[in-house]
């Protein structure tokens, strides 16, 4: 509604309710799956389809292989789309019958599970949507959570509750960090792919350029290799104000917090969100599938809503103020407004909310003029062409 829609469609959200015509055996099967288990195929041929595979994967493998076969054929795009839809039709013809292992189920299945746990029927679900929507719109109008000087802005000591997401081999310029800081956001230097000595050097240069202004550094901690440990030490010694840890855990987040460095962990699924809240992690990034870099499978709007519902259901007094960033596909005022609507109930629980934005920075004048992107890739992005991945036209949010 915040984006201008006049309504919405509910489908997977209702599958597990008592009024749902699905047989109880199938409902029980669906309760064992989550939004992260759903799979999308067909995007390569402009016919994306999301489903849930609940049994043997023969049909799934067939569709996956068929999509690639069609994609590499020398045929017009519209013919490729038609061929994949033709291959999909017999697989999906069974609907929700007993012998079907591929079901047309979307990521709303997680909401269906929550609604049934809460004992809601269709009437209660529709009422909840209407009430929460109305309340959120009212709260946003009276107390917009992403205003300059917000709770998170004060915590970051910047004007806006906006974080420039670290991008490996791109956001590594102290000059760019200073420009972003002057613009009112919190800049992040990307340390991924750098040696320990390079990390120490660039952090020292960034601190010299920014002086007392706040900045952060982004690291990758998927492995426990010795080099990763050395990089972590280099980051701690460099004394940035904040750190974003891709693939990190609560122990590492607490390590940096104890060193006086505010930490953020990526939470690409409800499982991550619950685990981090259980371990009293103070900084969490709800990074949806639309984000760049290390992401999960859940779309931003679904992930954000799941994260907020989980936080609202908990007593989080022990980790106040919790710092929560929304990330994934935010590129303009409309995207920010959609995040604000979902975040609107949080400030009363002393949750400091903000946005992480990465890709949208790529084609700003400052980024292109800094030379961090080659002229070739800057031109490709401006033309909206992603030849390295699909060879098809794409619509860059930054465009």
């Amino acid at each position: 509604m915040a984006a201008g829609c006049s309504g919405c469609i509910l489908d997977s959200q209702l599958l597990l309710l008592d009024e749902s015509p699905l047989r109880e055996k199938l409902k029980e099967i669906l309760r064992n799956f989550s939004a992260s288990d759903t799979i999308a195929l067909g995007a390569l041929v402009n016919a994306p389809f999301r489903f849930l595979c609940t049994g043997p994967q023969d049909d799934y493998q067939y569709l996956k292989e068929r999509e690639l076969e069609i994609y590499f054929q020398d045929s017009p795009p519209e013919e490729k789309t038609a061929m994949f839809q033709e291959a999909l039709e017999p697989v999906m013809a069974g609907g929700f019958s007993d012998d079907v292992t591929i079901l047309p189920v979307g990521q709303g299945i997680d909401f269906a599970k929550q609604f049934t746990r809460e004992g809601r029927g269709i009437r209660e679900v529709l009422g909840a949507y209407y009430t929460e929507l109305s309340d959120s719109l009212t709260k946003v109008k009276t107390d917009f959570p992403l205003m300059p000087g917000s709770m998170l802005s004060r915590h970051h000591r910047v004007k806006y509750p906006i974080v420039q997401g670290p991008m490996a081999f791109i956001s590594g310029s102290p000059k760019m960090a200073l420009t972003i800081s002057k613009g009112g956001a919190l800049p992040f230097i990307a340390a991924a792919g750098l040696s320990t000595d390079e990390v120490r050097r660039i952090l020292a240069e960034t601190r010299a350029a920014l002086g007392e202004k706040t900045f952060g550094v982004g690291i990758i901690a998927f492995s426990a290799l010795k080099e990763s440990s050395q990089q972590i030490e280099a980051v701690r010694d460099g004394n940035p104000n904040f750190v974003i840890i891709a693939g990190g855990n609560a122990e590492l987040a607490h390590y940096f917090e104890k060193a006086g460095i505010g930490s953020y962990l990526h939470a690409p699924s409800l499982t991550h969100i619950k685990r981090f809240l259980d371990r009293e992690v103070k900084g969490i990034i709800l990074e949806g599938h639309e984000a760049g870099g290390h992401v999960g499978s859940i779309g931003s709007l679904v992930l954000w809503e799941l994260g907020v519902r989980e936080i609202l259901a908990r007593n989080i007094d022990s980790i106040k103020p919790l710092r929560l960033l929304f990330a994934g596909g935010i590129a303009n005022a409309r995207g920010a407004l959609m995040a604000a609507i979902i975040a609107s109930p949080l400030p009363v629980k002393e949750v400091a909310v903000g946005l992480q934005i990465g890709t949208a920075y790529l084609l700003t004048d400052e980024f292109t003029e800094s030379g961090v992107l080659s002229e070739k890739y800057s031109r490709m992005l401006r033309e909206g062409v992603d030849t390295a991945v699909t060879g098809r036209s794409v619509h860059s949010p930054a465009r």
Side-chain angles (χ1 to χ4, degrees):
M1 299 292 277
C5 297
S6 57
C8 65
I9 294 174
L10 301 180
D11 43 46
S12 298
Q13 297 92 335
L14 308 178
L15 286 177
L16 301 180
L17 303 187
D18 287 342
E19 296 95 329
S20 167
L22 294 187
R23 64 193 186 283
E24 189 56 37
K25 180 180 178 182
L26 182 53
K27 288 182 181 179
E28 190 59 38
I29 291 174
L30 291 178
R31 291 189 188 101
N32 294 319
F33 292 90
S34 70
S36 299
D37 296 314
T38 64
I39 305 168
L41 285 177
L44 289 175
V45 290
N46 199 31
F49 189 90
R50 183 170 294 279
F51 58 84
L52 186 63
C53 187
T54 60
Q57 299 196 357
D58 296 354
D59 288 337
Y60 162 64
Q61 291 296 337
Y62 162 72
L63 289 174
K64 184 177 180 180
E65 294 169 4
R66 184 62 181 140
E67 178 186 4
L68 288 173
E69 290 175 1
I70 294 172
Y71 172 67
F72 285 110
Q73 288 185 17
D74 186 16
S75 303
E78 58 273 13
E79 289 187 14
K80 292 182 178 182
T81 300
M83 282 188 284
F84 184 76
Q85 290 174 336
E86 183 180 351
L88 182 65
E89 186 173 347
V91 175
M92 300 310 305
F96 288 90
S97 59
D98 290 340
D99 58 344
V100 170
T101 59
I102 289 186
L103 302 173
V105 175
Q107 297 186 340
I109 189 64
D110 273 3
F111 298 118
K113 293 165 66 175
Q114 290 186 6
F115 294 152
T116 53
R117 284 197 299 268
E118 295 163 359
R120 298 189 184 190
I122 288 181
R123 181 182 295 274
E124 290 78 19
V125 168
L126 295 179
Y129 270 90
Y130 179 84
T131 300
E132 292 186 21
L133 176 61
S134 178
D135 290 349
S136 296
L137 289 171
T138 300
K139 288 175 184 175
V140 161
K141 291 176 181 178
T142 58
D143 188 17
F144 191 67
L146 303 176
M147 288 288 286
S150 70
M151 191 188 315
L152 190 70
S153 301
R154 297 193 300 273
H155 193 86
H156 286 172
R157 291 192 285 128
V158 295
K159 183 176 181 179
Y160 301 109
I162 296 176
V163 165
Q164 168 255 310
M167 295 174 283
F169 307 110
I170 295 176
S171 55
S173 164
K175 179 181 177 181
M176 276 305 309
L178 180 59
T179 301
I180 290 168
S181 178
K182 288 181 177 179
L186 178 64
F188 270 78
I189 295 293
L194 301 181
S195 68
T196 302
D197 290 341
E198 288 172 326
V199 171
R200 294 184 186 278
R201 174 184 57 78
I202 198 167
L203 291 184
E205 292 176 353
T206 304
R207 178 55 71 196
L210 271 69
E212 295 300 314
K213 295 181 181 295
T214 53
F215 77 94
V217 59
I219 64 173
I220 298 176
F222 284 107
S223 67
L225 297 176
K226 182 179 180 181
E227 183 63 27
S228 298
S229 301
Q230 292 174 345
Q231 190 180 74
I232 289 169
E233 284 186 24
V235 170
R236 181 201 61 194
D237 296 342
N239 199 31
N241 303 92
F242 294 92
V243 60
I244 289 177
I245 313 166
N249 54 41
E251 287 74 19
L252 187 54
H254 292 317
Y255 169 83
F256 281 114
E257 293 280 352
K258 289 179 182 178
I261 301 171
S263 63
Y264 283 99
L265 295 178
H266 288 170
S269 72
L270 184 57
T271 300
H272 285 87
I273 297 165
K274 290 180 176 180
R275 183 186 307 147
F276 295 157
L277 291 174
D278 288 342
R279 298 300 306 277
E280 299 186 350
V281 169
K282 293 184 175 296
I284 296 175
I285 304 176
L286 300 179
E287 189 162 74
H289 186 65
E290 291 86 344
H294 305 282
V295 298
S297 60
I298 303 180
S300 294
L301 292 179
V302 175
L303 180 68
W304 297 347
E305 185 73 24
L306 290 172
V308 169
R309 287 175 65 87
E310 183 65 29
I311 292 169
L312 292 175
R314 288 178 175 240
N315 181 347
I316 59 169
D317 290 342
S318 59
I319 49 177
K320 288 182 178 178
L322 173 66
R323 305 185 306 273
L324 187 70
L325 296 178
F326 293 79
I330 303 171
N332 52 29
R334 181 172 293 172
L337 179 57
M338 295 168 76
I341 288 287
I342 295 176
S344 62
L346 294 175
V348 295
K349 294 199 70 170
E350 295 185 41
V351 178
V353 299
L355 310 177
Q356 177 186 274
I357 298 174
T359 305
Y361 275 98
L362 284 178
L363 294 184
T364 58
D365 291 340
E366 293 85 355
F367 249 78
T368 54
E369 291 170 3
S370 70
V372 293
L373 286 178
S374 67
E375 181 179 347
K376 172 186 175 183
Y377 284 105
S378 292
R379 185 174 66 254
M380 285 172 59
L381 286 171
R382 286 190 181 279
E383 293 172 352
V385 177
D386 184 7
T387 55
V389 179
T390 66
R392 296 182 296 113
S393 175
V394 297
H395 301 286
S396 168
R399 193 176 177 190

